[in-house]
């Protein structure tokens, strides 16, 4: 889907960063699929009206989310705790009806969050377009349908299950190009006292840390409080609270309600002021960001090339979607990185999208540790560093690129 206009305001987009041709972020593949591998021109543009940073072109949802989707949320122990806390927060906020509450989650993946509601006996519905992960959710007792959410589906759910007390989404809303239709569906799905709570990687963190790897095919938007407020105001809803999260290298949890249903917390105005101060509502900020991205690329290539010239072995740690942007934007292949270790069975034995670096199981990393490991799953650094003490003790070193390119350990 290609657009030169903002998907929210309809105004022209100004290109902020051009990443050149990119493959699918999660398009892990076999050698027989290398010829003719899908690529698309990846660039992000900014709209000063909606204040949305967004992909100019995005592959179709069906190309990205399907029965072979490679990302299972429950691969991280920390994320399991995180979603347990998220669920408990929703149960404790006083928005769920005393009798027969109903909770809907968009993009419930393998049921990592909704299973907490299922276990508490709360009526729920997961909506997950990737059939393989939806099946895992169902097998855990999480009632899940494999569909793309839209206004019409919201109306169908209301007709069948009634309106919802809470609509939840984590790392999902920023994936959906038809966000206006989704926001409209949310406004119809929620009871007058209902709340929508969703979290996504936060634009402020991406700009501050130059974590440009958060930009890939699946992330059509990177939100701020300004852009979320603009989007939901069009639907008669308002942003009533924001809560910063550590997950995914810096995320923001947004709480939305029908206008006037609840007071707006101070946190909202504080964040809006902060965003104005750092310029998240202005194009000029993204022109500068583009230069930071280029500089980060130059420094990373220099570091990896220097290490390789010393005859050292470098492996990647975590075949993340994010790594697809780094590898392809920086042109890093097997000349610099021997393999990437990943714990996800569906990725193992395949090759990284675009640059075709072999993906190896974690056992391989243990048996054949490199001299340096490039931490592509930098957002899980705390969890990974804690379990990889032996790697450092045995002389291994980490390469990170966020918030700046450097070697650790
Ligand atoms: O929004 C999205 C986020 C939530 O998840 C999706 N569009 C796709 C995906 O993005 P990602 O692939 O960048 O997410 P992660 O969570 O950074 O991926 C971590 C990867 O690293 C997984 O493939 C699992 C792997 N891993 C590992 O090999 N050892 C992870 C940990 C914690 C580990 O110890």
């Amino acid at each position: 889907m290609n657009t030169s206009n903002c998907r929210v305001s309809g105004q022209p987009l100004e290109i902020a960063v051009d990443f050149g041709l990119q493959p699918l972020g999660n398009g892990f593949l076999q050698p027989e699929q290398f010829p003719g591998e899908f690529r698309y021109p990846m660039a992000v543009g900014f709209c000063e009206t909606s204040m949305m940073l967004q992909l100019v072109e995005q592959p179709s949802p069906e190309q990205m989310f399907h029965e072979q989707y490679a990302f299972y949320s429950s691969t991280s122990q920390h994320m399991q705790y995180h979603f347990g806390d998220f669920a408990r927060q929703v149960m404790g906020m006083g928005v769920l009806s005393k009798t027969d509450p109903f909770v809907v989650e968009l993009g419930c993946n393998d049921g990592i969050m909704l299973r907490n509601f299922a276990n508490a006996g709360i009526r729920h519905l997961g909506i997950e377009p990737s059939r393989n992960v939806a099946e895992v959710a169902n097998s855990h007792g999480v009632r899940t349908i494999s569909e793309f959410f839209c206004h019409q589906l919201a109306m169908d759910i209301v007709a069948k299950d009634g309106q919802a007390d809470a609509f939840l989404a984590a790392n999902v809303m920023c994936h959906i190009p038809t966000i206006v239709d989704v926001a409209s569906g949310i406004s119809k799905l929620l009871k007058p006292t209902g709340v929508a709570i969703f979290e996504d990687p936060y634009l402020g963190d991406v700009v501050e840390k130059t974590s440009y790897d958060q930009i890939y095919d699946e992330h059509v938007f990177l939100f701020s409080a300004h852009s979320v407020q603009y989007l939901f105001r069009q639907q008669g809803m308002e942003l009533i609270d924001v809560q910063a999260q550590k997950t995914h290298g810096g995320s923001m949890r947004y709480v939305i309600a029908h206008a006037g249903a609840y007071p707006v917390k101070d946190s909202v105005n504080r964040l809006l002021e902060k965003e104005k101060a750092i310029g998240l509502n202005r194009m000029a900020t993204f022109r500068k960001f583009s230069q930071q991205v280029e500089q980060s690329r130059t420094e990373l290539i220099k570091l990896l090339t220097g290490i390789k010239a010393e005859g050292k072995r470098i492996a990647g740690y975590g075949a993340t979607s994010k790594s697809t942007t780094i590898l392809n934007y920086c042109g890093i292949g097997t000349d610099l990185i021997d393999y990437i270790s990943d714990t996800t069975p569906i990725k193992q034995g395949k090759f990284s999208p675009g640059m075709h670096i072999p993906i190896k199981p974690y056992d391989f990393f243990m048996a054949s540790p490199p001299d340096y490991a490039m931490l592509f799953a930098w957002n899980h650094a705390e969890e990974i560093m804690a379990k990889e003490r032996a790697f450092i003790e045995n002389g291994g070193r980490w390469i990170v690129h966020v918030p700046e390119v450097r070697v650790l350990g």
Side-chain angles (χ1 to χ4, degrees):
M1 218 176 293
N2 191 356
T3 181
S4 48
N5 287 350
C6 172
R7 293 171 178 82
V8 179
S9 73
Q11 297 297 311
L13 285 174
E14 187 172 332
I15 303 290
V17 192
D18 186 345
F19 292 91
L21 284 181
Q22 292 278 336
L24 298 173
N26 268 311
F28 298 92
L29 71 178
Q30 299 289 2
E32 58 272 22
Q33 298 170 300
F34 293 170
E37 182 181 1
F38 174 79
R39 284 185 171 77
Y40 71 103
M42 189 172 96
V44 280
F46 185 70
C47 168
E48 280 201 335
T49 303
S50 68
M51 296 156 285
M52 285 280 182
L53 188 77
Q54 58 199 278
L55 289 178
V56 176
E57 184 162 336
Q58 192 190 30
S60 73
E62 291 78 9
Q63 271 173 295
M64 298 181 286
F65 308 109
H66 41 66
E67 68 292 345
Q68 287 293 313
Y69 188 56
F71 181 73
Y72 289 76
S73 298
S74 298
T75 47
S76 161
Q77 189 68 45
H78 271 212
M79 293 310 287
Q80 298 194 35
Y81 299 141
H82 174 78
F83 288 118
D85 288 344
F86 191 155
R88 279 186 287 281
Q89 181 189 343
V90 176
M91 290 181 212
M93 37 198 303
V95 293
L96 299 187
S97 313
K98 297 249 174 326
T99 53
D100 195 24
F102 179 41
V103 176
V104 174
E105 187 185 354
L106 174 53
C108 68
N109 198 279
D110 54 16
I112 189 169
M113 173 144 62
L114 272 189
R115 71 182 72 148
N116 296 281
F117 293 93
N119 292 342
I122 293 174
R123 196 159 61 89
H124 62 273
L125 179 66
I127 303 158
E128 172 52 65
S130 298
R131 205 169 285 279
N132 58 331
V133 286
E135 274 167 17
V136 177
N138 274 310
S139 73
H140 285 137
V142 173
R143 184 167 73 106
T144 307
I145 53 171
S146 197
E147 304 262 7
F148 286 99
F149 184 77
C150 60
H151 178 99
Q152 185 54 51
L153 185 64
M155 301 304 283
D156 295 346
I157 295 170
V158 172
K160 207 163 155 221
D161 290 288
Q163 284 185 305
D165 299 272
F167 174 94
L168 312 177
N171 306 305
V172 172
M173 295 285 281
C174 74
H175 294 66
I176 308 177
T178 51
I179 193 79
V180 173
D181 182 65
V182 165
S184 151
I186 293 171
S187 75
K188 295 289 174 292
L189 180 62
L190 283 179
K191 289 178 183 169
T193 52
V195 290
I197 311 173
F198 65 92
E199 61 186 38
D200 282 292
Y202 177 54
L203 181 61
D205 285 288
V206 170
V207 169
E208 191 190 320
K209 298 173 188 159
T210 320
S211 46
Y212 66 89
D213 54 347
Q214 285 292 7
I215 301 169
Y216 53 90
D217 55 350
E218 296 177 15
H219 287 179
V220 63
F221 296 110
L222 283 173
F223 296 134
S224 63
H226 272 88
S227 59
V228 167
Q229 186 182 57
Y230 180 92
L231 170 69
F232 281 94
R233 272 191 178 157
Q234 316 299 309
Q235 306 299 333
M237 303 188 82
E238 62 186 352
L239 179 60
I240 60 166
D241 194 11
V242 284
Q243 297 154 11
Q245 306 294 317
K246 280 190 186 162
T247 48
H248 292 293
S251 298
M252 193 60 68
R253 186 173 292 170
Y254 305 95
V255 185
I256 316 282
H258 291 289
Y262 296 98
V264 176
K265 294 204 171 156
D266 290 346
S267 58
V268 174
N269 277 331
R270 279 201 304 271
L271 187 61
L272 289 169
E273 286 308 313
K274 192 173 160 199
E275 289 185 354
K276 276 189 211 146
I278 55 175
L280 292 191
N281 54 344
R282 290 193 304 275
M283 181 63 205
T285 306
F286 301 100
R287 290 194 199 105
K288 193 161 156 239
F289 175 65
S290 173
Q291 292 164 5
Q292 289 164 219
V293 170
E294 261 185 64
Q295 191 184 333
S296 174
R297 168 170 68 174
T298 307
E299 288 173 12
L300 182 61
I301 295 171
K302 191 170 160 212
L303 179 68
L304 296 180
T305 315
I307 292 172
K308 205 64 192 171
E310 290 170 14
K312 305 286 188 198
R313 287 179 70 225
I314 310 172
Y317 196 105
T320 58
S321 328
K322 297 182 288 293
S323 67
T324 299
T325 297
I326 303 174
L327 294 169
N328 288 276
Y329 175 63
C330 300
I332 299 166
T334 46
D335 51 330
L336 293 175
I337 292 190
D338 296 3
Y339 68 89
I340 306 173
S341 160
D342 198 286
T343 51
T344 317
I346 199 171
K347 296 181 185 176
Q348 297 162 358
K350 292 187 179 161
F351 292 78
S352 74
M355 297 311 293
H356 306 160
I357 300 174
I359 312 300
K360 300 285 187 189
Y362 179 57
D363 289 355
F364 188 89
F365 177 85
M366 299 285 276
S368 175
D371 301 300
Y372 290 78
M374 167 100 205
L375 188 56
F376 288 126
W378 58 272
N379 45 312
H380 300 292
E382 212 176 295
E383 176 174 354
I384 292 170
M385 300 286 172
K387 74 177 177 198
E388 296 301 351
R389 289 208 187 91
F391 173 62
I392 293 290
E393 282 160 15
N394 294 330
R397 303 180 81 185
W398 292 106
I399 300 167
V400 293
H401 74 290
V402 171
E404 70 231 343
V405 174
R406 65 194 199 280
V407 172
L408 308 174

